[in-house]
Amino acid sequence: MRTAAGRVLGLALVVLLLVSVVGLAASQTFINKTRKTVSGITIEFSRTVTITRHDSAFPDQSPSGRSDEFTFSGRDLRNLGRFTVSWTPSSGKVTGYEWITGQLSVASPSTNTLVPTYDEIMAKIAHYPGVDEPLYQPKEGEEIWLTDLDGHKDVYDNDGIRINLGEGLRPEDIAKIRWYRNKIRMSFIPDNALEITNNQMKTFIGTPTEHSPASAHTDHAIMGYDYEAHVWDTNGHLRILSTTVKSPVHFSGTKTIDCGLLWLFLYHSDQEIEDHFRAMKALGFTGIQFEVYYFISSYEANNVFASYDRPDVTLESYQRTMTAEEIERVLRLIDEVGMDAEIRIELWLSKEYKEAHSGCDREGIHPSNVDLWFANYTELCTRIGALAEQGGADIFCVGVELSSMEPYAEHWRRLASKVRQVFFGKLTFAEATCHFLSGFNCYDNALGLEASLGRFWDAFDIIGMNQWPSFPLESSTDQRYSVITDRFVKEWSKAVDYYRTRFPNKEIWFNEMGTYVHDGLVLGLTYEKPSSSWIPDGQEVGDTWAAYLTGAEFLGIDGLCAWRYGIDPWKWYPGTIELGRSPGPLILASFLKQ
């Protein structure tokens, strides 16, 4: 949160942070021994890294965010000249480099990217312990403990689990063993099993309390899951042993979660809301995103308006416009729990218009006077931007899924320029990219990908993409984690590669990333069932989030905002929050916590 005091001390903090980060970073100096003058260097790393510093020999860096390959250029470097670069994390190693001679050219955008397989993705970003991982050494007098099947303390998602008995306890002293996953008994495991295999750990038989249908395979994500062994000895004494599965992949970008906040203000105290934010922080999130809703009366309308007293103004009854006092309140509460804040303007068609025009949404608005609409919308964004700056918000998103308005690039540039006069954090726009990728967009299905994607990002700090299950991530309702990951990377490589090529110095975020709780959504928009027949599928939520985060890390995404559906789907009210042991939050925490 950029508080007033933080802004005053910003320069000093940046200097201290730079010293701290560089001190922890790895670095390497490259000497030009080509006997020629070079115009740049391309450096490859063993994993995605962030460049923390590079000297002025080559002032230009591409891309600016995280990647496993960078090009530095912008000046000539003579023979025997030196170039030094630093990066984090230090576990990333230089695997190759190439000096560039002659004129550096930028490749044309391409959507024919060679897509890696799941195994290749994991080989690049997964970090499992090596052969030198030490075996667990029991404490003096320790009778019983858990390890993986090879005797290591840490259990990863490719391990099994073993019960180990010390000198004071023999196998014949054990009367009964029961295994539990996330507090739910794994009834298919025999009562005397001293170990469970990795396949058993990933077996789902449709236990009702797990809210997941039975699965015919074990290609599932279990990172962050808790496994317990309840062990009774022949004297009736119960010992409970537990371990949490570690993830070999951690998402290293910025981690934000969206909170639909309006109803919170109507019913809950500051303390309850702060407790809710802290629960999100405990999962590994560092920022809170929230919306301010405004409305447009029809596709052709040129005005945008607030609705402070009509909670039923749209088809979603919770949507009304937050007052300036409510905006100030939420920014203050986010600051008090030590999290960053993103404020977004969301424009919605009125309830009356949507009911009269089935299938219409904000993605297709076409004002009769574009200049007048942008004048009104710019005034709104400037007013909210000033409130965001006053409250110390870090990011301001000036629009969400306004697909039909994206071609007006110069209007968006002028809007951004006006907003920057009152807001000094980062600016972004949340694009309905998943609809462009799937060909499902009520604006224009006929446009090609490159023609559809935003062309105004030079005026913004963050390229904001939205991921929802609109294109198929699977061909079966019995979803597979590896298949979802493959498809996610394949589809999103198109947009990410395009943006990295065309706007190399911009951060790339998933400004919305979400899924829902019911079975079959991985099939995308082709899978349509009445809501009354939806079957809850918590494991599909877990597998989908694991694929999202695995793919986002592989693609080098700089930040994401997780949307709440499926993360804590049954109870998510402050004061009575029950994140429980459901797959969504457990998977997220395992990927987000460092």
Side-chain angles (χ1 to χ4, degrees):
M1 173 66 79
R2 297 182 313 113
T3 62
R7 293 194 291 271
V8 172
L9 295 175
L11 181 59
L13 290 176
V14 167
V15 172
L16 288 173
L17 181 60
L18 182 61
V19 171
S20 172
V21 171
V22 173
L24 295 173
S27 64
Q28 186 166 330
T29 298
F30 300 86
I31 303 175
N32 175 18
K33 297 182 179 180
T34 63
R35 299 184 180 180
K36 299 177 182 179
T37 295
V38 297
S39 57
I41 185 174
T42 297
I43 305 174
E44 298 178 355
F45 294 87
S46 60
R47 59 166 298 177
T48 55
V49 300
T50 298
I51 301 301
T52 58
R53 188 177 185 181
H54 62 91
D55 62 38
S56 58
F58 295 131
D60 298 334
Q61 170 191 326
S62 177
S64 62
R66 295 180 303 113
S67 181
D68 58 4
E69 181 176 308
F70 295 89
T71 297
F72 302 90
S73 59
R75 288 181 182 167
D76 290 338
L77 185 67
R78 295 180 179 180
N79 186 47
L80 298 181
R82 295 169 178 260
F83 175 72
T84 301
V85 61
S86 302
W87 65 88
T88 60
S90 58
S91 58
K93 308 298 182 186
V94 173
T95 57
Y97 66 93
E98 182 178 0
W99 295 104
I100 300 169
T101 58
Q103 183 67 34
L104 182 65
S105 61
V106 178
S108 299
S110 172
T111 58
N112 298 318
T113 305
L114 183 62
V115 180
T117 65
Y118 171 79
D119 289 338
E120 291 169 333
I121 291 169
M122 295 299 284
K124 192 77 172 179
I125 64 173
H127 296 278
Y128 290 103
V131 294
D132 57 346
E133 181 187 7
L135 297 177
Y136 176 72
Q137 299 300 318
K139 303 178 182 66
E140 184 176 354
E142 192 170 10
E143 290 186 322
I144 188 169
W145 61 92
L146 295 181
T147 64
D148 69 7
L149 297 184
D150 295 321
H152 306 115
K153 179 182 178 180
D154 291 335
V155 176
Y156 282 81
D157 66 312
N158 62 351
D159 289 328
I161 305 174
R162 185 175 70 200
I163 299 173
N164 300 269
L165 304 180
E167 293 183 0
L169 203 60
R170 301 167 300 170
E172 54 266 31
D173 295 326
I174 304 301
K176 183 173 61 176
I177 300 171
R178 286 185 174 174
W179 289 88
Y180 293 77
R181 177 174 52 215
N182 302 330
K183 305 297 183 183
I184 298 169
R185 187 183 170 198
M186 303 168 73
S187 58
F188 57 90
I189 295 179
D191 279 353
N192 60 348
L194 283 169
E195 63 182 40
I196 56 175
T197 65
N198 186 254
N199 279 343
Q200 288 174 318
M201 292 171 67
K202 296 177 179 178
T203 294
F204 294 87
I205 62 171
T207 303
T209 48
E210 288 195 299
H211 301 282
S212 296
S215 175
H217 61 82
T218 59
D219 187 353
H220 294 296
I222 57 171
M223 302 78 145
Y225 287 13
D226 295 325
Y227 287 82
E228 290 182 352
H230 292 207
V231 183
W232 286 265
D233 62 23
T234 52
N235 295 320
H237 179 225
L238 170 64
R239 297 171 176 85
I240 299 178
L241 312 174
S242 65
T243 187
T244 300
V245 177
K246 291 185 173 295
S247 173
V249 177
H250 293 279
F251 178 68
S252 49
T254 304
K255 312 159 187 73
T256 301
I257 185 167
D258 181 85
C259 290
L261 295 175
L262 181 59
W263 53 271
L264 299 179
F265 301 118
L266 301 178
Y267 306 114
H268 297 285
S269 68
D270 284 6
Q271 184 60 55
E272 288 175 318
I273 296 170
E274 287 188 4
D275 288 345
H276 189 65
F277 289 164
R278 290 189 180 95
M280 300 298 106
K281 192 174 183 178
L283 289 179
F285 291 104
T286 58
I288 297 290
Q289 178 192 88
F290 69 99
E291 289 74 41
V292 182
Y293 300 119
Y294 280 83
F295 305 94
I296 185 169
S297 56
S298 71
Y299 261 17
E300 299 81 15
N302 301 312
N303 66 315
V304 291
F305 62 92
S307 179
Y308 298 106
D309 56 1
R310 285 189 59 196
D312 62 341
V313 71
T314 68
L315 296 179
E316 291 75 27
S317 61
Y318 59 82
Q319 291 170 347
R320 70 160 177 80
T321 308
M322 291 175 62
T323 65
E325 291 75 17
E326 288 170 329
I327 294 173
E328 183 278 332
R329 183 187 181 200
V330 67
L331 289 173
R332 172 177 55 82
L333 295 176
I334 293 172
D335 181 44
E336 288 177 358
V337 298
M339 301 180 77
D340 293 337
E342 176 184 347
I343 183 170
R344 308 200 317 164
I345 292 179
E346 278 201 29
L347 191 64
W348 289 85
L349 281 164
S350 67
K351 176 181 179 180
E352 292 85 354
Y353 190 83
K354 290 176 73 174
E355 288 181 334
H357 301 78
S358 177
C360 287
D361 212 335
R362 59 187 170 214
E363 295 173 15
I365 66 171
H366 44 84
S368 60
N369 187 326
V370 171
D371 290 339
L372 179 57
W373 184 89
F374 267 102
N376 291 329
Y377 196 71
T378 299
E379 187 278 328
L380 166 64
C381 290
T382 304
R383 181 157 39 87
I384 300 301
L387 289 173
E389 177 63 24
Q390 182 180 353
D394 301 270
I395 300 173
F396 181 29
C397 179
V398 299
V400 177
E401 297 175 344
L402 299 175
S403 303
S404 58
M405 305 307 291
E406 286 197 38
Y408 301 102
E410 193 54 43
H411 287 75
W412 286 110
R413 292 188 183 99
R414 288 197 294 266
L415 181 149
S417 178
K418 286 280 190 182
V419 173
R420 289 192 188 278
Q421 295 175 22
V422 298
F423 179 75
F424 305 106
K426 294 181 178 181
L427 284 184
T428 188
F429 175 96
E431 180 179 69
T433 329
C434 58
H435 286 178
F436 290 132
L437 291 172
S438 65
F440 176 83
N441 194 289
C442 56
Y443 160 46
D444 191 338
N445 293 343
L447 289 178
L449 175 66
E450 294 179 15
S452 302
L453 296 176
R455 296 182 289 277
F456 47 73
W457 295 111
D458 52 299
F460 290 82
D461 303 294
I462 297 171
I463 296 172
M465 310 183 303
N466 288 357
Q467 161 60 31
W468 289 93
S470 60
F471 56 78
L473 291 168
E474 245 285 19
S475 57
S476 168
T477 57
D478 189 4
Q479 77 286 341
R480 294 157 291 178
Y481 164 48
S482 65
V483 173
I484 302 173
T485 303
D486 280 347
R487 185 61 186 269
F488 179 88
V489 169
K490 175 183 178 181
E491 294 301 325
W492 280 105
S493 292
K494 303 171 186 176
V496 171
D497 290 351
Y498 173 82
Y499 280 143
R500 283 231 173 90
T501 302
R502 187 160 185 179
F503 303 100
N505 297 318
K506 301 298 180 181
E507 294 182 30
I508 300 178
W509 281 47
F510 284 111
N511 201 255
E512 289 184 17
M513 179 173 264
T515 186
Y516 300 96
V517 181
H518 62 84
D519 181 43
L521 273 178
V522 287
L523 300 183
L525 293 170
T526 59
Y527 183 72
E528 295 182 0
K529 295 177 68 177
S531 59
S532 59
S533 65
W534 286 352
I535 301 171
D537 192 346
Q539 186 57 38
E540 181 172 316
V541 173
D543 288 333
T544 301
W545 271 109
Y548 282 177
L549 294 164
T550 300
E553 178 64 17
F554 178 80
L555 292 170
I557 299 300
D558 297 288
L560 62 82
C561 181
W563 274 50
R564 299 270 300 271
Y565 307 109
I567 296 176
D568 47 349
W570 290 286
K571 287 189 178 181
W572 53 298
Y573 299 96
T576 60
I577 187 167
E578 247 184 39
L579 294 176
R581 314 313 297 161
S582 56
L586 298 176
I587 291 283
L588 276 162
S590 71
F591 276 84
L592 302 186
K593 285 183 174 180
Q594 298 301 311

